[in-house]
């Protein structure tokens, strides 16, 4: 069995000309026809680990290799890293199934930089800080559901753009709570409990929107309905089961969930129309954007370039700075 976690090579470190014998996750598998039909098919894989993904090709024995490769499971791959059209590709010589239980999903997925105990403790403190008895009851019921707390702490917040790692949903949600509560100190008219509860739950639909076993990807329900609607559905269902939950308060909470993307063009079915919804929508954007900037800048820090490549989602280049004057790492 190739090297364990600590000493194993990562995709981001591989260089052309390097021979590898390591375990990676098969994210996609296809058999492609050669241009010359007489040659049959070759195997095309997309392999991933916690640092990224790369294509792999197997030219000989593709069909028998494909038959023993399971998608979204780890696979032992032996071959040579080559450069093809300026991108690295693994030329496979041999693949081998990996015994069940030899690896854990977190060996191949990026994980939160925060200590899980610290995140769980912060979540607990915030839930307990909600004084309103109905909102407190709602949080209590939700986190008492079997598996809910673990899922909330483990789920990613995205597939790629920001907080796209195990624990990302909790990191992002707690960031949004902290940003929103900071705003509440400046604007005392804001309902602090509604804000805290709404910020904690604004993305709760992501628990159903993503699956994150070996690879992070959308579920069918996630792709079809989206986390805004899934979150609305979950919370609306719980509210109807809490005796005497004040109707207007429930509506304000549901409105906050439905409007948290701020604009219809960003996926919000309604725009924010309450103070708390406006604060959460801005805090959500601030948390996501700031992380995205960090991520893009960090990826370009060691390239020797003053500017990042053009980012299509942000529709701009970001300024990395002159070499030797590039600000702080991390966060
Ligand atoms: Fe969201
Ligand atoms: Fe969010």
């Amino acid at each position: 069995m190739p090297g364990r976690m600590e000493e194993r090579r990562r995709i981001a470190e591989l260089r052309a000309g390097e021979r590898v014998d390591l375990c990676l996750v098969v994210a996609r598998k296809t058999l492609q026809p050669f241009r010359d039909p007489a040659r049959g098919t070759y195997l095309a894989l997309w392999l991933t680990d916690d640092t990224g993904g790369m294509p792999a090709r197997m030219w000989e024995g593709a069909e028998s290799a494909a038959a023993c490769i399971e998608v979204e499971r780890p696979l032992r791959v032996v071959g040579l890293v080559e450069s093809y059209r300026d991108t690295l590709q693994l030329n496979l010589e041999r693949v081998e199934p990996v015994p069940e239980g030899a690896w854990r999903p977190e060996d191949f997925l990026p994980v939160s930089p925060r200590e899980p105990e610290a995140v769980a403790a912060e979540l607990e403190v915030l839930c307990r800080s909600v004084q309103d008895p109905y909102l407190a009851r709602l949080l209590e019921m939700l986190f008492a559901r079997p598996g809910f707390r673990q899922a909330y702490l483990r789920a990613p917040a995205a597939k790629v753009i920001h907080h796209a790692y195990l624990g990302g949903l909790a990191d992002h949600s707690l960031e949004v709570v902290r940003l929103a509560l900071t705003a509440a100190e400046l604007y005392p008219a804001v309902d602090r409990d509604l804000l805290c509860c709404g910020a904690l739950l604004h993305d709760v639909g992501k628990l159903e929107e993503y699956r994150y076993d070996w690879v992070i990807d959308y579920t069918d329900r996630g792709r079809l309905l989206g986390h805004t609607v899934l979150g609305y559905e979950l919370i609306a269902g719980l509210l109807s089961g809490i005796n005497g939950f004040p109707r207007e308060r429930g509506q304000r909470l549901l409105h906050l969930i439905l409007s948290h993307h701020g604009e219809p063009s960003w996926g919000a079915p309604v725009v924010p129309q309450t103070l708390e919804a406006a604060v959460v929508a801005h805090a959500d954007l601030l948390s996501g954007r700031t992380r995205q900037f960090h991520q893009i800048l960090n990826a370009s820090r060691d390239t020797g370039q003053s500017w990042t490549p053009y980012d299509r989602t942000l529709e701009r280049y970001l300024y990395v700075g002159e070499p030797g004057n590039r600000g702080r790492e991390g966060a």
Side-chain angles (χ1 to χ4, degrees):
M1 181 62 47
R4 296 295 310 179
M5 295 284 300
E6 301 70 28
E7 72 272 19
R8 91 176 204 252
R9 297 283 286 159
R10 298 297 212 275
I11 286 177
E13 301 162 349
L14 298 179
R15 298 288 171 260
E18 187 174 335
R19 289 195 56 78
V20 294
D21 176 357
L22 75 174
C23 285
L24 295 170
V25 168
V26 180
R28 290 194 298 273
K29 165 183 88 168
T30 52
L31 281 169
Q32 305 270 9
F34 280 106
R35 253 186 234 145
D36 171 6
R39 292 184 64 196
T41 55
Y42 67 89
L43 176 66
L45 302 178
W46 184 258
L47 302 170
T48 59
D49 71 6
D50 50 340
T51 65
M54 74 184 301
R57 300 285 180 264
M58 192 174 209
W59 309 112
E60 307 288 331
E63 271 160 44
S64 58
C68 72
I69 295 174
E70 264 190 276
V71 176
E72 299 189 8
R73 285 285 176 280
L75 179 74
R76 181 177 178 182
V77 291
V78 180
L80 184 68
V81 180
E82 294 180 333
S83 180
Y84 178 69
R85 290 185 182 162
D86 287 338
T87 50
L88 293 182
Q89 171 177 301
L90 184 55
N91 201 344
L92 294 167
E93 288 157 18
R94 192 155 62 82
V95 295
E96 211 173 90
V98 173
E100 201 66 42
W103 298 89
R104 301 165 309 156
E106 34 287 64
D107 296 334
F108 298 100
L109 288 173
V111 295
S112 169
R114 296 193 64 192
E115 284 296 324
E117 298 75 24
V119 179
E122 190 184 339
L123 175 65
E124 191 64 32
V125 169
L126 286 169
C127 286
R128 283 176 193 276
S129 76
V130 172
Q131 301 287 307
D132 177 290
Y134 292 102
L135 293 174
R137 177 85 188 109
L138 170 72
L139 289 172
E140 204 181 297
M141 278 173 65
L142 195 54
F143 282 95
R145 290 178 134 206
F148 182 86
R149 183 181 301 272
Q150 293 88 319
Y152 187 93
L153 291 168
R154 187 175 164 81
K159 190 179 162 186
V160 271
I161 307 237
H162 70 88
H163 299 87
Y165 51 76
L166 294 181
L169 174 67
D171 282 3
H172 166 63
S173 301
L174 297 184
E175 252 173 58
V176 173
V177 176
R178 276 189 279 169
L179 289 166
L181 291 182
T182 305
E185 282 172 28
L186 295 170
Y187 308 106
V190 171
D191 180 331
R192 191 247 172 231
D193 281 351
L194 184 61
L195 192 70
C196 181
C197 185
L200 276 172
L201 302 181
H202 79 282
D203 269 340
V204 73
K206 287 187 176 179
L207 293 185
E208 269 200 88
E209 186 178 36
Y210 295 108
R211 54 197 176 82
Y212 36 95
D213 204 14
W214 303 109
V215 295
I216 295 174
D217 209 341
Y218 290 98
T219 60
D220 292 344
R221 257 169 81 72
R223 225 186 260 282
L224 290 168
L225 303 183
H227 70 269
T228 304
V229 168
L230 290 170
Y232 168 87
E233 194 183 72
L234 173 67
I235 301 304
L238 278 175
L239 289 180
S240 64
I242 301 177
N243 238 341
F245 199 106
R247 190 181 54 84
E248 200 213 90
R249 210 157 177 67
Q251 260 174 22
R252 283 175 179 267
L253 179 63
L254 294 173
H255 169 69
L256 190 152
I257 292 172
L258 284 180
S259 66
H260 80 265
H261 282 188
E263 300 288 337
S265 58
W266 293 347
V270 285
V271 292
Q273 293 155 71
T274 65
L275 206 48
E276 294 76 19
V279 172
V280 167
H282 282 102
D284 184 43
L285 182 63
L286 182 54
S287 163
R289 269 293 156 86
T290 309
R291 284 300 176 131
Q292 197 180 353
F293 267 61
H294 259 297
Q295 210 169 294
I296 296 169
L297 287 167
N298 273 340
S300 285
R301 207 165 287 279
D302 300 322
T303 59
Q305 305 291 318
S306 297
W307 291 89
T308 66
Y310 186 76
D311 187 89
R312 275 184 299 152
T313 59
L314 292 174
E315 299 179 322
R316 72 196 77 172
Y317 300 92
L318 299 188
Y319 184 52
V320 187
E322 292 167 10
N325 187 25
R326 296 194 160 174
R328 286 190 309 114
E329 285 263 342

